[in-house]
Amino acid sequence: MLDQLPQWRPQCPRWTLLLSLGTVLLWLPLAHMTTLNCHKICICASNIVSCSKMNLTEVPFNIPTYTVVLDLSYNELKRLKAEWTPDRLPNLHNLLASHNEITFLSSEAFIYVKHLRYLDLSSNNLRLLDEFIFEPLVNLEVLLLYNNRISQIDRAAFITMINLQKLYLSQNQISRFPAELVKEKSRLEKLSLLDMSSNRIAVLPIDELRVLPAYIKNGLYFHNNPLHCNCDLYTLLAHWYIRKLNSAVDFKDDYTCVLPGPQKTQVLAFDLSHDYMNCSTFKEEDEEAFLEQTLLLKCDTKHRNMFKSWTLPGNVPVIAGNNQTAKVLYDGNLQVSPVKADDSGTYTCFATSEGFNETVYIVLKVHNFTMDRSGESLNTAYTTLVGCLASVVLVLMYLYLTPCRCFCCPNKDKGRGDDSIHSSMLSVTPTHEDPALKAEINRHVAFIDSKNSQGQNGKLNPNGDEEEDDEEEEDQDAEAGSLMKGKRKKSVAESISSVFSDTPMVV
């Protein structure tokens, strides 16, 4: 009977073979992955999953979606690939992956953890940060990358991290200061701490760092770098130290630089003022203003979002609604318009918040002229030039266009031999004579005869006679008149040379 039964041959449909093969292929990638076990592999405490120090080479599989904190530190992870978490973790805020051996970060490593706020990748073996590598992390606030081997940072690596507040890049091999993170128009607006210490930076963008707001400079660290010594570096650090910025005060003895020369001597940057490069001692500069201009005084505080109030010179408070030329703007800065001469003095800004209080002093010096002083100087120079030219013209007119010269004098018929000295210095007759007084004024000048006695100035009379009578006076007058005709005696010539020292007498 059994022999008569048809022989049974099991036949399997083709679709069942394909399904089995697909199941095997899906299982193979997961075979080497560790399934999360909160009792053996990790420790689960409410929404915190800690897998620290478990010698993991891969991230555990099936992480709960409610996880807020995931700790993967102190393991042997080498790569953070795109599929390290195939499921979205919308509640994950803190990811700790420090002290591993991570050398590679996938460009899609964070697409399922977009709500991260704190990411710790410190103490790994990262070497470069590619473009847009952190692009999905728009909510990240703190990023720790210190103690890696990073030598290259793409300029667009952090460009999308608009909420980043603290970035730690110390203890790497970075040789370029990432100025694009802090300078105007390209900086991350909420960044308040950038740690670039203990790298290989030799040159700083001093001019760009000098104009940064105080709240950025307060958290900008670049100590323990092989910086080149120069006075600009000293001035920058001295200014920060006077402002009591944390970055300069807390690590004052760690700011070093390398002196120029083949020996590459490393010295303290704060010693450049007197010991090495004789950099001038730094002093805070006063604000300057001009009359009639609009002035803006900034309350440059070390912290953000502080309430600010001002007092004018003389401790006069600035009150809204008062009839004052100064007013506090919405951003806390003080506007003075128009500036007056008595606005010079010390302005005080009081900044307060829940955790900080700060006072900023600004000394203002007002120049006693307007900003267009250059135009006034030009007008003054032009006026001076015109005045000089006019003076030259008047001098020339006086020299060459005198109304009366020798040929038009009243005594033009007088002989050429007349003595000009007597005519100009001994004559007391005015040029325009009054006829009524002509006879009275027309007198001769004679000297006292003192042959054996001295005159007023100790000089002897040239006539040589001791006694004079009327006839001698007439002879003396005649002899004096002969001087006008060129026949002079030696003694007479000497009397003429002493005309300014002897006292003449009118007879």
Side-chain angles (χ1 to χ4, degrees), residues 185-241:
K185 296 182 180 180
S186 66
R187 65 169 170 251
L188 301 176
E189 289 298 329
K190 294 186 177 181
L191 188 66
S192 60
L193 187 148
L194 176 59
D195 187 358
M196 298 298 302
S197 62
S198 301
N199 276 279
R200 298 180 179 180
I201 300 174
V203 179
L204 289 174
I206 299 292
D207 293 336
E208 296 177 355
L209 299 183
R210 185 180 292 115
V211 298
L212 292 178
Y215 70 85
I216 293 181
K217 294 186 288 189
N218 187 58
L220 186 58
Y221 300 89
F222 50 86
H223 54 277
N224 287 334
N225 275 282
L227 300 172
H228 292 168
C229 291
N230 54 66
C231 290
D232 289 338
L233 174 63
Y234 165 76
T235 301
L236 180 73
L237 292 174
H239 168 67
W240 292 15
Y241 188 80

Side-chain angles (χ1 to χ4, degrees), residues 163-332:
N163 289 299
L164 189 64
Q165 300 177 13
K166 298 180 180 181
L167 176 58
Y168 297 86
L169 288 167
S170 63
Q171 301 181 49
N172 280 283
Q173 301 174 11
I174 303 171
S175 59
R176 183 189 67 87
F177 186 89
E180 65 275 1
L181 299 178
V182 295
K183 70 179 182 181
E184 187 71 24
K185 296 182 180 180
S186 66
R187 65 169 170 251
L188 301 176
E189 289 298 329
K190 294 186 177 181
L191 188 66
S192 60
L193 187 148
L194 176 59
D195 187 358
M196 298 298 302
S197 62
S198 301
N199 276 279
R200 298 180 179 180
I201 300 174
V203 179
L204 289 174
I206 299 292
D207 293 336
E208 296 177 355
L209 299 183
R210 185 180 292 115
V211 298
L212 292 178
Y215 70 85
I216 293 181
K217 294 186 288 189
N218 187 58
L220 186 58
Y221 300 89
F222 50 86
H223 54 277
N224 287 334
N225 275 282
L227 300 172
H228 292 168
C229 291
N230 54 66
C231 290
D232 289 338
L233 174 63
Y234 165 76
T235 301
L236 180 73
L237 292 174
H239 168 67
W240 292 15
Y241 188 80
I242 290 176
R243 283 295 312 272
K244 302 299 180 183
L245 301 181
N246 294 337
S247 55
V249 174
D250 296 344
F251 296 93
K252 179 182 178 182
D253 296 333
D254 294 324
Y255 282 98
T256 59
C257 61
V258 179
L259 291 173
Q263 297 180 354
K264 304 296 182 181
T265 305
Q266 193 174 45
V267 299
L268 292 177
F270 283 93
D271 291 341
L272 297 179
S273 60
H274 52 277
D275 291 341
Y276 299 102
M277 301 188 72
N278 292 326
C279 298
S280 59
T281 303
F282 176 80
K283 294 181 180 179
E284 288 282 0
E285 296 182 356
D286 298 340
E287 292 284 342
E288 295 185 353
F290 303 89
L291 297 177
E292 305 300 328
Q293 79 168 108
T294 298
L295 178 66
L296 184 66
L297 298 179
K298 295 183 178 181
C299 188
D300 194 15
T301 57
K302 297 187 293 185
H303 302 280
R304 292 172 176 249
N305 304 323
M306 303 183 73
F307 175 76
K308 302 171 183 177
S309 59
W310 289 81
T311 60
L312 304 177
N315 293 326
V316 179
V318 179
I319 303 176
N322 280 16
N323 213 8
Q324 296 174 325
T325 58
K327 65 177 181 179
V328 182
L329 303 180
Y330 70 94
D331 57 359

Side-chain angles (χ1 to χ4, degrees), residues 127-194:
R127 296 180 181 274
L128 57 89
L129 301 178
D130 292 329
E131 181 182 11
F132 303 120
I133 192 172
F134 302 110
E135 182 179 9
L137 302 179
V138 294
N139 297 305
L140 195 67
E141 298 176 357
V142 179
L143 177 57
L144 285 73
L145 291 168
Y146 63 86
N147 193 26
N148 276 275
R149 299 181 181 181
I150 301 173
S151 59
Q152 297 180 8
I153 300 177
D154 192 276
R155 294 180 183 270
F158 310 103
I159 194 172
T160 60
M161 307 176 73
I162 57 177
N163 289 299
L164 189 64
Q165 300 177 13
K166 298 180 180 181
L167 176 58
Y168 297 86
L169 288 167
S170 63
Q171 301 181 49
N172 280 283
Q173 301 174 11
I174 303 171
S175 59
R176 183 189 67 87
F177 186 89
E180 65 275 1
L181 299 178
V182 295
K183 70 179 182 181
E184 187 71 24
K185 296 182 180 180
S186 66
R187 65 169 170 251
L188 301 176
E189 289 298 329
K190 294 186 177 181
L191 188 66
S192 60
L193 187 148
L194 176 59

Side-chain angles (χ1 to χ4, degrees), residues 444-464:
H444 296 282
V445 179
F447 295 93
I448 300 175
D449 185 10
S450 56
K451 181 177 181 181
N452 298 324
S453 63
Q454 294 182 344
Q456 184 178 355
N457 291 328
K459 295 183 182 293
L460 297 179
N461 192 296
N463 292 328

Side-chain angles (χ1 to χ4, degrees), residues 231-495:
C231 290
D232 289 338
L233 174 63
Y234 165 76
T235 301
L236 180 73
L237 292 174
H239 168 67
W240 292 15
Y241 188 80
I242 290 176
R243 283 295 312 272
K244 302 299 180 183
L245 301 181
N246 294 337
S247 55
V249 174
D250 296 344
F251 296 93
K252 179 182 178 182
D253 296 333
D254 294 324
Y255 282 98
T256 59
C257 61
V258 179
L259 291 173
Q263 297 180 354
K264 304 296 182 181
T265 305
Q266 193 174 45
V267 299
L268 292 177
F270 283 93
D271 291 341
L272 297 179
S273 60
H274 52 277
D275 291 341
Y276 299 102
M277 301 188 72
N278 292 326
C279 298
S280 59
T281 303
F282 176 80
K283 294 181 180 179
E284 288 282 0
E285 296 182 356
D286 298 340
E287 292 284 342
E288 295 185 353
F290 303 89
L291 297 177
E292 305 300 328
Q293 79 168 108
T294 298
L295 178 66
L296 184 66
L297 298 179
K298 295 183 178 181
C299 188
D300 194 15
T301 57
K302 297 187 293 185
H303 302 280
R304 292 172 176 249
N305 304 323
M306 303 183 73
F307 175 76
K308 302 171 183 177
S309 59
W310 289 81
T311 60
L312 304 177
N315 293 326
V316 179
V318 179
I319 303 176
N322 280 16
N323 213 8
Q324 296 174 325
T325 58
K327 65 177 181 179
V328 182
L329 303 180
Y330 70 94
D331 57 359
N333 296 326
L334 184 69
Q335 177 179 298
V336 182
S337 179
V339 175
K340 300 179 295 184
D342 55 358
D343 287 334
S344 296
T346 302
Y347 292 75
T348 307
C349 175
F350 299 98
T352 58
S353 65
E354 294 182 358
F356 302 98
N357 292 325
E358 187 176 357
T359 304
V360 179
Y361 299 97
I362 301 177
V363 179
L364 176 63
K365 178 182 179 181
V366 178
H367 297 287
N368 197 22
F369 49 83
T370 58
M371 293 188 68
D372 57 350
R373 182 183 179 185
S374 58
E376 296 178 359
S377 300
L378 181 60
N379 293 336
T380 303
Y382 177 75
T383 305
T384 304
L385 179 60
V386 172
C388 292
L389 292 176
S391 300
V392 172
V393 172
L394 291 176
V395 171
L396 294 176
M397 291 177 61
Y398 176 79
L399 293 176
Y400 297 99
L401 298 179
T402 305
C404 183
R405 299 180 66 86
C406 293
F407 58 83
C408 63
C409 294
N411 298 328
K412 65 180 180 179
D413 295 334
K414 196 171 182 180
R416 293 285 182 179
D418 296 344
D419 198 332
S420 61
I421 297 178
H422 281 268
S423 62
S424 61
M425 297 189 180
L426 300 181
S427 175
V428 295
T429 305
T431 304
H432 302 284
E433 299 177 355
D434 189 350
L437 301 175
K438 183 176 181 180
E440 181 179 355
I441 298 177
N442 191 12
R443 299 175 181 175
H444 296 282
V445 179
F447 295 93
I448 300 175
D449 185 10
S450 56
K451 181 177 181 181
N452 298 324
S453 63
Q454 294 182 344
Q456 184 178 355
N457 291 328
K459 295 183 182 293
L460 297 179
N461 192 296
N463 292 328
D465 297 330
E466 296 180 359
E467 295 180 358
E468 296 182 353
D469 52 10
D470 295 338
E471 292 180 358
E472 290 178 349
E473 289 179 359
E474 291 177 359
D475 295 338
Q476 185 176 359
D477 292 340
E479 183 180 359
S482 65
L483 292 175
M484 305 298 293
K485 297 181 180 180
K487 295 181 179 180
R488 302 190 183 107
K489 298 180 181 179
K490 182 177 181 181
S491 60
V492 175
E494 293 176 354
S495 65

